[in-house]
């Protein structure tokens, strides 16, 4: 594993780093045999979490699936630092750009990029698809290199998330503000809006356990329908609810690893 790689050279901030897992069987630099790469964005309600939190999951995913994995840090919100949306997704976009430029150096296929995120990370990776300006402003060609997206116990609709539990105001308001129109503008569930062309996403796997007690199932169900409404083929969008585990426990299951590997292998 390569640890603490800065994906933004302009600011040596530890929140602008990633860890890179390269599968052990990748012992040559033949571009044909290089593995694809998955960019993983951790959760933590936009104010907590770290790229190393899911290291066991990502190491197993890389080894079992023969997949390179980039686990990404991004700036986190606190009441004191003033960091809020769109800082999180801007950082994730910069990390994806770095990944798209460094395949030759580290030995993966930079034109076969997958995105995945857990919880708030699922929100951020969905933003990269349905608010395409964040990637497009960095490199218009990056979207052509995306081969699939996996959301795990994700939030996709901020207003709905707030309605589900009033306690969530203390984590959402510092990150997105109190204005519902701005919350909707940031939420993949409502993007692109009616003034913009529809977006047909890459193949998308939405994983949401029925055991999740923090994020309601309707986040996944409504987002699944939104992707279809954008024009995606039903064969390219999957809603997976059979996996077991509460909001965080699912990340410790072999079933999740195998389902992710299956999706990447078939996309």
């Amino acid at each position: 594993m390569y640890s603490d790689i800065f994906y933004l050279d302009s600011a040596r901030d530890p929140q602008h780093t990633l860890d890179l897992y390269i599968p052990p069987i990748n012992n040559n630099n033949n571009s044909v045999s290089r593995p694809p790469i998955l960019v993983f964005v951790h959760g933590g309600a936009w104010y907590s979490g770290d790229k190393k939190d899911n290291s066991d999951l990502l190491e197993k995913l890389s080894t079992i699936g023969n997949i390179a994995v980039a686990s990404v840090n991004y700036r986190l919100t606190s009441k004191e630092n003033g960091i809020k949306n769109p800082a999180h997704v801007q950082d994730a976009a910069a990390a994806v750009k770095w990944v798209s430029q460094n395949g030759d150096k580290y030995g993966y296929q930079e034109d076969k990029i997958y995105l995945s995120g857990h919880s708030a990370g699922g929100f951020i990776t969905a933003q990269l698809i349905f608010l395409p300006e964040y990637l497009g402003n960095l490199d218009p060609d990056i979207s052509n290199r995306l081969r699939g997206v996996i959301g795990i116990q994700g939030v996709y609709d901020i207003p709905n998330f707030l309605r589900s539990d009033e306690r969530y105001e203390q984590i959402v308001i510092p990150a997105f503000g109190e204005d519902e129109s701005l919350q909707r503008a940031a939420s993949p569930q409502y993007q692109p809006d009616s003034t913009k062309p529809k977006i047909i996403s890459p193949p998308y796997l939405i994983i949401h356990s029925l055991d999740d007690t923090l994020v309601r199932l309707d986040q996944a169900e409504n987002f699944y329908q939104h992707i279809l409404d954008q024009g995606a083929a039903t064969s390219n969008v999957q809603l997976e609810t059979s996996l077991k585990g509460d909001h965080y426990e699912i990340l410790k299951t072999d079933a999740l690893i195998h389902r992710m590997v299956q999706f990447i292998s078939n996309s």
Side-chain angles (χ1 to χ4, degrees):
M1 183 180 76
Y2 300 90
S3 298
D4 301 323
I5 301 171
F6 287 97
Y7 59 80
L8 278 178
D9 291 330
S10 59
R12 293 279 164 166
D13 184 335
Q15 291 187 323
H16 287 148
T17 59
L18 58 82
D19 292 342
L20 190 60
Y21 302 78
I22 302 296
I25 65 173
N26 185 47
N27 294 322
N28 62 67
N29 204 35
N30 184 333
S31 61
V32 176
S33 63
R34 294 178 193 168
I37 185 160
L38 174 79
V39 178
F40 187 85
V41 183
H42 69 78
W46 300 278
Y47 75 91
S48 66
D50 185 84
K51 58 184 171 56
K52 297 188 185 299
D53 289 347
N54 305 295
S55 58
D56 287 347
L57 165 71
L58 302 181
E59 186 172 0
K60 289 180 181 178
L61 183 65
S62 179
T63 302
I64 294 171
N66 189 32
I67 301 162
V69 180
S71 183
V72 176
N73 267 352
Y74 53 92
R75 286 172 290 172
L76 299 173
T77 294
S78 72
K79 293 180 179 179
E80 295 78 26
N81 66 18
I83 292 171
K84 57 178 56 183
N85 179 77
H88 323 100
V89 65
Q90 288 171 337
D91 290 352
V96 174
K97 179 184 177 183
W98 184 94
V99 164
S100 75
Q101 296 174 330
N102 284 277
D104 287 343
K105 180 176 181 179
Y106 291 98
Y108 58 83
Q109 295 189 64
E110 59 191 32
D111 63 344
K112 290 188 176 180
I113 300 172
Y114 293 82
L115 306 177
S116 182
H118 170 252
S119 194
F123 182 92
I124 292 167
T125 50
Q127 284 182 300
L128 291 174
I129 301 300
F130 289 98
L131 291 98
E133 60 268 24
Y134 293 115
L135 286 174
N137 288 343
L138 298 178
D139 181 352
D141 185 54
I142 294 180
S143 61
N144 296 322
R145 303 182 180 198
L146 300 181
R147 296 291 181 260
V149 189
I150 304 172
I152 306 166
Q153 316 281 60
V155 174
Y156 309 102
D157 180 341
I158 292 298
N160 183 29
F161 185 57
L162 281 173
R163 288 193 295 269
S164 70
D165 191 326
E166 63 181 14
R167 293 174 297 178
Y168 292 158
E169 287 187 5
Q170 62 185 325
I171 60 176
V172 168
I173 300 304
F176 296 92
E178 297 185 52
D179 187 333
E180 183 172 334
S181 66
L182 295 180
Q183 296 167 5
R184 291 172 67 94
S187 297
Q189 180 67 41
Y190 303 105
Q191 299 303 319
D193 64 32
S194 60
T195 66
K196 300 173 184 175
K198 291 186 175 183
I199 293 174
I200 299 178
S201 77
Y204 218 117
L205 172 61
I206 304 169
I207 296 174
H208 205 103
S209 169
L210 300 181
D211 300 328
D212 193 340
T213 58
L214 294 182
V215 178
R216 293 191 322 199
L217 178 63
D218 64 350
Q219 288 280 341
E221 292 174 328
N222 294 343
F223 188 54
Y224 170 76
Q225 187 60 52
H226 175 64
I227 298 174
L228 292 177
D229 291 344
Q230 290 293 304
T234 54
S235 58
N236 277 349
V237 191
Q238 303 171 50
L239 176 59
E240 174 63 76
T241 61
S242 69
L243 302 187
K244 304 299 183 181
D246 202 348
H247 191 70
Y248 292 102
E249 290 301 314
I250 192 173
L251 298 171
K252 302 175 183 178
T253 65
D254 290 340
L256 174 65
I257 294 170
H258 291 299
R259 187 67 179 91
M260 295 175 73
V261 170
Q262 179 188 53
F263 173 78
I264 292 172
S265 299
N266 294 334
S267 298

